[in-house]
Amino acid sequence: MKVDVLLGLQWGDEGKGKVVDVLSPGYDIIARFQGGPNAGHTLEFEGQKYVLRSIPSGIFQDGKLNVIGNGVVLDPALFKEEVDALEASGHDLTDRLLISKKAHLILPTHRLLDAAYERKKGNGKIGTTGKGIGPAYTDKISRNGLRVGDIFHSFSEKYNAAIARHRGLLQQMDYEYDLESLEQQWFAGLDCIKRFRVIDSDYFINKSLDEGKSILAEGAQGTMLDIDFGSYPFVTSSNTVCAGACTGLGIPPVKIGNVYGIFKAYCTRVGSGPFPTELMDETGEQIRNNGFEYGSVTGRPRRCGWIDLVALRYAIMINGVTRLIMMKSDVMDDFDVIKACTAYKIHGVETTEFPFETEANPEPVYVELPGWKSDMTKIHDKREFPKEFSDYAAFLEKMLKVKIGIVSVGPDRAQTILLDSLR
Ligand code: GDP
Ligand code: IMO
Ligand code: MG
């Protein structure tokens, strides 16, 4: 068997959680491979809404195993919050959630360092989610990190050494803090982690493949936030692209199967950084209102703009996307005209490639398509699509050279239209 990978093609929040939940009945195992609680994956079904941060979005399906892979950075305190909230709403996770020994821990001081570095950057700040992601991955790469498996072996020694080092860094930045209450929650979180099976996830994943089990790898963030390929330095600190599923789960590249690339019918971004098709006018406001574009964890208003086919083509190339999944089509329901950016003009020269320089300030070149001006939220079958929508989807497929397999027309699980068999 091979591992299918589902990932975001834009700047995150494309709707990955919803689609993983929809697809997970077709898989035995759902595995997160990177990121941490900077993610907020929203699922809606049976009138309930859930936001997952570190727990894979297959958790609500009976009989499925969910794995937090080695590439994830896990904050015990936030993990416990997530577990408590799910259990309070009647979901028992004990037998369906497995955690990699090799996943790195976000220490309470990582969060403080995240805030201190952002403050130091001033106007140049990244606009991080404040969850300690950058500092935790920094410690991983500089070989100073603590892993989930360390909890069981002379942990306090390693923990104290790391905290002492972080205290020194915070002091250098004159950052004032109160660690005590953070630590209390953090250690309660460690006890919560111990309730779950902590495993050698690399062996588990590969043995499961050998036994014929099917696996869906769930990405977090999006390709344009990738540490290597995103709009650096305004990115997250992990590889959000398909290759991240190999390193974040221990899967050989030859065992990657389908790659599902998710995108919205328009574009959003939270935090700082380039966004060529951003709309600062009432059209942007209309998209934000229609799509309720506010961070699922932070509540921050998301920046909104037209769909960017230059960035999408780039993301499709890096990930080897085999099928596209188009989200939030319904958000465009009341637009007379829909614009799609097909190229950029940089210093008067047209290009279809995403530029290296983030200051290049590309001017988008747009194609205009007629809107469908009808309610798509109650459609259940592609034969009911308005003609203008079908034309828009066909235009995107032609420009992106990959077929669309799913169209989403609302936040609920049921508002999902399968166009063809994905596998
Ligand atoms: P993720 O991080 O990629 O999982 O996406 P988020 O959950 O952060 O953001 C997607 C938001 O859009 C959530 O509030 C979803 O409930 C919502 N959503 C998902 N698909 C659709 C859709 O097709 N239409 C609308 N209107 N909302 C959607
Ligand atoms: P999901 O999985 C949207 C953004 C932050 C910031 C940058 C770096 O829900 O799509 P970090 O805290 O990772 O150091 O922040 O990345 N960011 C996201 N934006 N969706 C996400 O996750 C994000 N995770 C991080 O806003 O610009
Ligand atoms: Mg999100």
Side-chain angles (χ1 to χ4, degrees):
M1 289 296 278
K2 295 202 170 185
V3 178
D4 291 342
V5 182
L6 183 143
L7 45 79
L9 296 179
Q10 296 165 320
W11 279 278
D13 301 328
E14 296 90 348
K16 298 173 291 291
K18 172 186 162 162
V19 179
V20 169
D21 170 59
V22 167
L23 295 181
S24 48
Y27 292 88
D28 299 306
I29 297 165
I30 294 86
R32 271 278 302 269
F33 58 88
Q34 46 69 232
N38 48 349
H41 293 183
T42 315
L43 290 78
E44 281 190 45
F45 55 89
E46 293 159 13
Q48 297 291 319
K49 179 171 165 173
Y50 303 92
V51 181
L52 300 173
R53 299 177 190 178
S54 303
I55 295 177
S57 302
I59 200 74
F60 297 106
Q61 305 284 353
D62 289 336
K64 310 296 170 188
L65 288 176
N66 289 264
V67 178
I68 296 179
N70 59 276
V72 172
V73 283
L74 192 63
D75 181 329
L78 296 179
F79 174 72
K80 180 175 185 305
E81 257 181 35
E82 208 174 327
V83 170
D84 287 350
L86 289 176
E87 291 188 340
S89 57
H91 300 276
D92 181 10
L93 315 186
T94 326
D95 294 326
R96 37 175 94 172
L97 185 63
L98 311 168
I99 305 172
S100 175
K101 279 182 195 166
K102 291 187 175 132
H104 276 248
L105 291 167
I106 301 179
L107 304 188
T109 36
H110 283 140
R111 255 203 261 179
L112 299 171
L113 284 166
D114 195 354
Y117 288 132
E118 282 284 88
R119 190 186 70 176
K120 201 161 166 241
K121 281 191 153 91
N123 286 339
K125 71 175 183 192
I126 310 289
T128 71
T129 58
K131 299 293 187 290
I133 303 296
Y137 276 116
T138 301
D139 274 354
K140 172 177 176 175
I141 300 302
S142 63
R143 297 158 293 185
N144 286 308
L146 267 71
R147 299 182 291 176
V148 170
D150 292 328
I151 302 175
F152 306 99
H153 310 283
S154 47
F155 182 69
S156 46
E157 225 172 87
K158 292 174 197 157
Y159 175 83
N160 290 336
I163 296 293
R165 203 166 42 78
H166 293 165
R167 278 188 185 278
L169 293 169
L170 288 162
Q171 199 179 355
Q172 279 171 28
M173 287 186 279
D174 284 327
Y175 193 81
E176 285 178 24
Y177 56 90
D178 169 19
L179 192 54
E180 212 171 296
S181 65
L182 283 178
E183 277 189 322
Q184 260 174 23
Q185 293 163 16
W186 198 84
F187 279 100
L190 275 197
D191 290 337
C192 179
I193 289 178
K194 287 178 187 163
R195 281 182 36 212
F196 293 89
R197 268 200 286 159
V198 172
I199 58 163
D200 292 302
S201 56
D202 34 20
Y203 279 108
F204 174 79
I205 294 277
N206 282 285
K207 281 180 188 168
S208 299
L209 287 174
D210 290 345
E211 288 163 10
K213 301 256 167 61
S214 54
I215 302 180
L216 179 63
E218 172 179 0
Q221 291 78 55
T223 301
M224 301 312 286
L225 288 171
D226 179 271
I227 183 74
D228 282 284
F229 302 105
S231 39
Y232 193 89
F234 300 101
V235 293
T236 190
S237 297
S238 65
N239 279 120
T240 61
V241 296
C242 185
C246 294
T247 57
L249 291 173
I251 306 163
V254 290
K255 293 209 172 153
I256 297 291
N258 298 299
V259 182
Y260 303 129
I262 301 210
F263 68 101
K264 291 184 197 186
Y266 48 95
C267 234
T268 62
R269 170 161 209 174
V270 247
S272 329
F275 181 0
T277 60
E278 181 170 14
L279 294 164
M280 311 293 278
D281 55 10
E282 67 233 23
T283 310
E285 200 57 40
Q286 191 179 350
I287 295 178
R288 187 174 306 108
N289 289 336
N290 289 7
F292 198 68
E293 292 297 353
Y294 297 90
S296 32
V297 176
T298 58
R300 284 188 289 180
R302 294 175 182 148
R303 299 157 65 193
C304 296
W306 295 118
I307 196 164
D308 184 339
L309 302 179
V310 177
L312 270 179
R313 269 194 302 252
Y314 177 68
I316 289 167
M317 172 182 85
I318 298 290
N319 290 301
V321 171
T322 58
R323 260 301 186 286
L324 289 167
I325 296 179
M326 180 168 167
M327 308 300 291
K328 303 192 93 161
S329 316
D330 55 298
V331 172
M332 301 276 103
D333 278 355
D334 59 359
F335 281 78
D336 294 319
V337 167
I338 295 170
K339 293 191 189 182
C341 165
T342 53
Y344 300 147
K345 247 188 204 160
I346 300 176
H347 309 307
V349 180
E350 208 166 293
T351 176
T352 53
E353 296 191 357
F354 202 86
F356 170 81
E357 292 92 4
T358 50
E359 302 83 27
N361 223 357
E363 182 196 328
V365 177
Y366 286 116
V367 166
E368 292 191 4
L369 295 111
W372 41 93
K373 305 280 283 179
S374 62
D375 179 5
M376 285 192 65
T377 58
K378 306 210 170 43
I379 291 182
H380 293 290
D381 191 297
K382 63 180 175 183
R383 284 168 296 195
E384 297 167 53
F385 283 157
K387 179 182 177 308
E388 292 83 358
F389 175 78
S390 300
D391 290 348
Y392 179 56
F395 167 78
L396 295 179
E397 286 183 333
K398 188 166 150 238
M399 296 299 293
L400 300 172
K401 299 193 175 67
V402 185
K403 283 224 155 308
I404 298 173
I406 291 180
V407 170
S408 174
V409 293
D412 196 273
R413 206 187 247 176
Q415 293 172 299
T416 316
I417 303 162
L418 201 64
L419 303 191
D420 60 8
S421 113
L422 290 181
R423 289 201 266 169

